[in-house]
Amino acid sequence: MGAPIAVLSINDINTYYGSIHALRGISLEVRQGEIVALIGGNGAGQSTTLNSISGLVRPRSGKILLNGEDLSRFQAHEIMAKGVVQVPEGRRIFARLTVNENLKMGAFVVSDKAAVAERTEQAFEMFPRLKQRQNQVAGTLSGGEQQMLAMSRALMSDPKVLLMDEPSMGLAPVLVDQIFDTIRQLHERGTTILLVEQNARKALEIADRGYVIETGQIVLADRAENLRDNEMVQKAYLGID
């Protein structure tokens, strides 16, 4: 059998914020069923990469392909409908809506009511606490519960690629472990994931492959286990001298 095909391909994209050249010729790919980790320091360009893929910011040049289709001519909501769904940094749930209503918002592109009901039940199986809180206003949930809800909301549309931006940010260690266990379960189900995560150790433990980004450029790309053993990665991101 050959290598899995690339579901998502980013080819030499350059993204600017005004005159600031935020991404400088970024190229990477995510293959079917993989977790790919994108690691780097604060401000290195990880979130800009995800936002460029999602259509929230527009690269000035380069191509972003989903199963070979160029996404550059589509708006963010159209890219989401095509199957690229982001779990944003800071969760960004709909604070005034209930848990159930948030999940329904995640399924707004799904016309099959049976599929929506089935995916809601899958969310509750994955996160039983959400089932207990299903009629609760989302803004009153704990940070960990809001992260569970943000992940579940993204999965409601059965995405082809799940973009995750700092899922462990601000969470207690026990909740960090639970979130990463869930990402591992999604991987086992075959979900394709591009993961941005400051906790590089955790990210490289569950990823198949990884890229290291510095000042808007990819400086390393390898299998995750090789990046864990890389001296530069150990010193810069894993706290190993």
Side-chain angles (χ1 to χ4, degrees), residues 4 7 31-35 187 190-193 208:
V7 178
R31 301 168 193 153
Q32 182 69 48
E34 278 190 321
I35 296 179
H187 185 217
T191 305
T192 303
I193 299 170
D208 299 290

PDB file of all heavy atoms in Angstrom, residues 4 7 31-35 187 190-193 208:
ATOM      1  N   PRO A   4      -0.769   7.431   2.584  1.00  0.00           N
ATOM      2  CA  PRO A   4      -2.075   8.086   2.493  1.00  0.00           C
ATOM      3  C   PRO A   4      -1.971   9.371   1.673  1.00  0.00           C
ATOM      4  O   PRO A   4      -0.940  10.038   1.672  1.00  0.00           O
ATOM      5  CB  PRO A   4      -2.403   8.406   3.958  1.00  0.00           C
ATOM      6  CG  PRO A   4      -1.545   7.504   4.771  1.00  0.00           C
ATOM      7  CD  PRO A   4      -0.309   7.267   3.968  1.00  0.00           C
ATOM      8  N   VAL A   7      -5.009  15.188   2.191  1.00  0.00           N
ATOM      9  CA  VAL A   7      -6.336  15.792   2.165  1.00  0.00           C
ATOM     10  C   VAL A   7      -6.195  17.313   2.052  1.00  0.00           C
ATOM     11  O   VAL A   7      -6.904  17.970   1.291  1.00  0.00           O
ATOM     12  CB  VAL A   7      -7.124  15.419   3.438  1.00  0.00           C
ATOM     13  CG1 VAL A   7      -8.497  16.087   3.446  1.00  0.00           C
ATOM     14  CG2 VAL A   7      -7.267  13.922   3.572  1.00  0.00           C
ATOM     15  N   ARG A  31      -2.288  14.405   5.687  1.00  0.00           N
ATOM     16  CA  ARG A  31      -2.785  13.244   4.965  1.00  0.00           C
ATOM     17  C   ARG A  31      -3.992  12.629   5.675  1.00  0.00           C
ATOM     18  O   ARG A  31      -4.235  12.875   6.849  1.00  0.00           O
ATOM     19  CB  ARG A  31      -1.658  12.211   4.820  1.00  0.00           C
ATOM     20  CG  ARG A  31      -0.448  12.748   4.075  1.00  0.00           C
ATOM     21  CD  ARG A  31       0.758  11.835   4.200  1.00  0.00           C
ATOM     22  NE  ARG A  31       1.984  12.499   3.758  1.00  0.00           N
ATOM     23  CZ  ARG A  31       3.194  12.197   4.193  1.00  0.00           C
ATOM     24  NH1 ARG A  31       3.368  11.233   5.096  1.00  0.00           N
ATOM     25  NH2 ARG A  31       4.255  12.858   3.756  1.00  0.00           N
ATOM     26  N   GLN A  32      -4.709  11.831   4.931  1.00  0.00           N
ATOM     27  CA  GLN A  32      -5.928  11.200   5.441  1.00  0.00           C
ATOM     28  C   GLN A  32      -5.656  10.469   6.751  1.00  0.00           C
ATOM     29  O   GLN A  32      -4.781   9.622   6.845  1.00  0.00           O
ATOM     30  CB  GLN A  32      -6.468  10.215   4.413  1.00  0.00           C
ATOM     31  CG  GLN A  32      -7.753   9.524   4.814  1.00  0.00           C
ATOM     32  CD  GLN A  32      -8.932  10.477   4.833  1.00  0.00           C
ATOM     33  OE1 GLN A  32      -9.140  11.233   3.900  1.00  0.00           O
ATOM     34  NE2 GLN A  32      -9.696  10.454   5.908  1.00  0.00           N
ATOM     35  N   GLY A  33      -6.437  10.813   7.799  1.00  0.00           N
ATOM     36  CA  GLY A  33      -6.363  10.103   9.068  1.00  0.00           C
ATOM     37  C   GLY A  33      -5.216  10.483   9.968  1.00  0.00           C
ATOM     38  O   GLY A  33      -5.059   9.904  11.056  1.00  0.00           O
ATOM     39  N   GLU A  34      -4.412  11.458   9.578  1.00  0.00           N
ATOM     40  CA  GLU A  34      -3.256  11.857  10.382  1.00  0.00           C
ATOM     41  C   GLU A  34      -3.617  12.902  11.436  1.00  0.00           C
ATOM     42  O   GLU A  34      -4.548  13.682  11.262  1.00  0.00           O
ATOM     43  CB  GLU A  34      -2.187  12.513   9.495  1.00  0.00           C
ATOM     44  CG  GLU A  34      -1.278  11.603   8.757  1.00  0.00           C
ATOM     45  CD  GLU A  34      -0.126  12.378   8.118  1.00  0.00           C
ATOM     46  OE1 GLU A  34      -0.325  13.487   7.603  1.00  0.00           O
ATOM     47  OE2 GLU A  34       0.988  11.843   8.130  1.00  0.00           O
ATOM     48  N   ILE A  35      -2.794  12.939  12.502  1.00  0.00           N
ATOM     49  CA  ILE A  35      -2.660  14.143  13.305  1.00  0.00           C
ATOM     50  C   ILE A  35      -1.312  14.752  12.941  1.00  0.00           C
ATOM     51  O   ILE A  35      -0.273  14.091  13.043  1.00  0.00           O
ATOM     52  CB  ILE A  35      -2.684  13.860  14.816  1.00  0.00           C
ATOM     53  CG1 ILE A  35      -4.023  13.289  15.263  1.00  0.00           C
ATOM     54  CG2 ILE A  35      -2.390  15.150  15.597  1.00  0.00           C
ATOM     55  CD1 ILE A  35      -4.095  12.966  16.753  1.00  0.00           C
ATOM     56  N   HIS A 187      -8.488  10.516  16.603  1.00  0.00           N
ATOM     57  CA  HIS A 187      -7.479   9.966  15.683  1.00  0.00           C
ATOM     58  C   HIS A 187      -7.786   8.500  15.395  1.00  0.00           C
ATOM     59  O   HIS A 187      -7.740   8.051  14.241  1.00  0.00           O
ATOM     60  CB  HIS A 187      -6.104  10.121  16.337  1.00  0.00           C
ATOM     61  CG  HIS A 187      -4.961   9.715  15.469  1.00  0.00           C
ATOM     62  ND1 HIS A 187      -3.850   9.069  15.972  1.00  0.00           N
ATOM     63  CD2 HIS A 187      -4.742   9.840  14.142  1.00  0.00           C
ATOM     64  CE1 HIS A 187      -3.003   8.833  14.983  1.00  0.00           C
ATOM     65  NE2 HIS A 187      -3.516   9.294  13.861  1.00  0.00           N
ATOM     66  N   GLY A 190     -10.288   7.917  12.893  1.00  0.00           N
ATOM     67  CA  GLY A 190      -9.925   8.295  11.539  1.00  0.00           C
ATOM     68  C   GLY A 190     -10.076   9.764  11.219  1.00  0.00           C
ATOM     69  O   GLY A 190      -9.942  10.161  10.056  1.00  0.00           O
ATOM     70  N   THR A 191     -10.328  10.600  12.245  1.00  0.00           N
ATOM     71  CA  THR A 191     -10.444  12.039  12.007  1.00  0.00           C
ATOM     72  C   THR A 191      -9.081  12.615  11.627  1.00  0.00           C
ATOM     73  O   THR A 191      -8.069  12.307  12.258  1.00  0.00           O
ATOM     74  CB  THR A 191     -10.971  12.755  13.271  1.00  0.00           C
ATOM     75  OG1 THR A 191     -12.199  12.141  13.677  1.00  0.00           O
ATOM     76  CG2 THR A 191     -11.222  14.227  13.013  1.00  0.00           C
ATOM     77  N   THR A 192      -9.052  13.436  10.602  1.00  0.00           N
ATOM     78  CA  THR A 192      -7.830  14.091  10.133  1.00  0.00           C
ATOM     79  C   THR A 192      -7.697  15.424  10.852  1.00  0.00           C
ATOM     80  O   THR A 192      -8.612  16.249  10.813  1.00  0.00           O
ATOM     81  CB  THR A 192      -7.891  14.299   8.610  1.00  0.00           C
ATOM     82  OG1 THR A 192      -8.090  13.025   7.977  1.00  0.00           O
ATOM     83  CG2 THR A 192      -6.618  14.937   8.083  1.00  0.00           C
ATOM     84  N   ILE A 193      -6.546  15.654  11.512  1.00  0.00           N
ATOM     85  CA  ILE A 193      -6.403  16.799  12.417  1.00  0.00           C
ATOM     86  C   ILE A 193      -5.096  17.544  12.158  1.00  0.00           C
ATOM     87  O   ILE A 193      -4.028  16.926  12.071  1.00  0.00           O
ATOM     88  CB  ILE A 193      -6.426  16.333  13.895  1.00  0.00           C
ATOM     89  CG1 ILE A 193      -7.758  15.641  14.225  1.00  0.00           C
ATOM     90  CG2 ILE A 193      -6.187  17.504  14.851  1.00  0.00           C
ATOM     91  CD1 ILE A 193      -7.787  14.952  15.578  1.00  0.00           C
ATOM     92  N   ASP A 208       1.283  12.124  14.344  1.00  0.00           N
ATOM     93  CA  ASP A 208       2.027  11.263  13.414  1.00  0.00           C
ATOM     94  C   ASP A 208       3.252  11.993  12.884  1.00  0.00           C
ATOM     95  O   ASP A 208       4.343  11.437  12.818  1.00  0.00           O
ATOM     96  CB  ASP A 208       1.134  10.856  12.234  1.00  0.00           C
ATOM     97  CG  ASP A 208      -0.074  10.067  12.685  1.00  0.00           C
ATOM     98  OD1 ASP A 208       0.106   8.919  13.110  1.00  0.00           O
ATOM     99  OD2 ASP A 208      -1.189  10.607  12.624  1.00  0.00           O
TER     100      ASP A 208
END
